[in-house]
Amino acid sequence: AQSVTQLGSHVSVSEGALVLLRCNYSSSVPPYLFWYVQYPNQGLQLLLKYTSAATLVKGINGFEAEFKKSETSFHLTKPSAHMSDAAEYFCAVMTINDYKLSFGAGTTVTVRA
Amino acid sequence: EAQVTQNPRYLITVTGKKLTVTCSQNMNHEYMSWYRQDPGLGLRQIYYSMNVEVTDKGDVPEGYKVSRKEKRNFPLILESPSPNQTSLYFCASSSAGRNTEAFFGQGTRLTVV
């Protein structure tokens, strides 16, 4: 069984500041890990994924995440926030035997001008 | 264009009136899933299918049915909807293998009164 914990349901950052969204997972087998973004009234869009290749993963819109096995973490960062980054972000873990995705509760990001 | 198409986008219905939400994908993916999204809970899997005629329960299957008679279609059926099924529903599809990722539909906002 796997589970995902996202620390902080809401994060507020100033435009130009670092964005850091935390994600910890538990899984009985090595997982695949994903970050998705959801803009208002839209579906989920893949930001980036880790599927057992490089541990530092770069995604779209300047986001990146680092897989740390020893910490069971997959935190998402962006060096400089933009107003367009305001959205809800979901971390998810997939077990490769059944391709089931388990999601965290989500983190809503607001960006202050 | 690769996509997952859900219909309808919005639906208001009354308790007990059977309804079906359709989902179709054009990527020849083996895996399809249904999720519901509720505030503070993230996305929870309702049912999934690993191929034609193969379906299984997810984390919150009560009150739902699915079928997978063709590879591209995976309808979600609510035989007797109740108000606690008011939610935002997403269909997703994904391929097998290391390059996997889940593609999501635009969502169906269901209100049961």
Side-chain angles (χ1 to χ4, degrees), chain A residues 32 34 36 38 41-44 46 49 51-53 88 90 94 97-106, chain B residues 9 31 35 37 40-43 45 48 50 59 88 90 94-102 104-106:
Chain A
Y32 292 167
F34 302 81
Y36 284 88
Q38 184 181 33
N41 299 315
Q42 294 190 24
L44 278 75
L46 180 69
K49 64 181 179 182
T51 57
S52 71
E88 189 163 19
F90 293 95
M94 177 187 281
N97 57 337
D98 60 8
Y99 291 86
K100 176 182 175 179
L101 271 175
S102 295
F103 285 86
Chain B
R9 290 288 311 277
Y31 300 92
Y35 297 85
Q37 182 181 8
L41 297 176
L43 283 81
Q45 191 182 60
Y48 67 98
M50 297 178 77
D59 299 317
L88 179 58
F90 287 101
S94 53
S95 61
R98 190 167 171 173
N99 201 33
T100 186
E101 69 176 86
F104 286 82
Q106 289 293 93

Side-chain angles (χ1 to χ4, degrees), chain B residues 11 19 48 55 60 72-73 79:
Chain B
L11 180 59
L19 66 91
Y48 67 98
T55 63
V60 287
R72 64 183 293 123
N73 296 322
E79 295 270 5

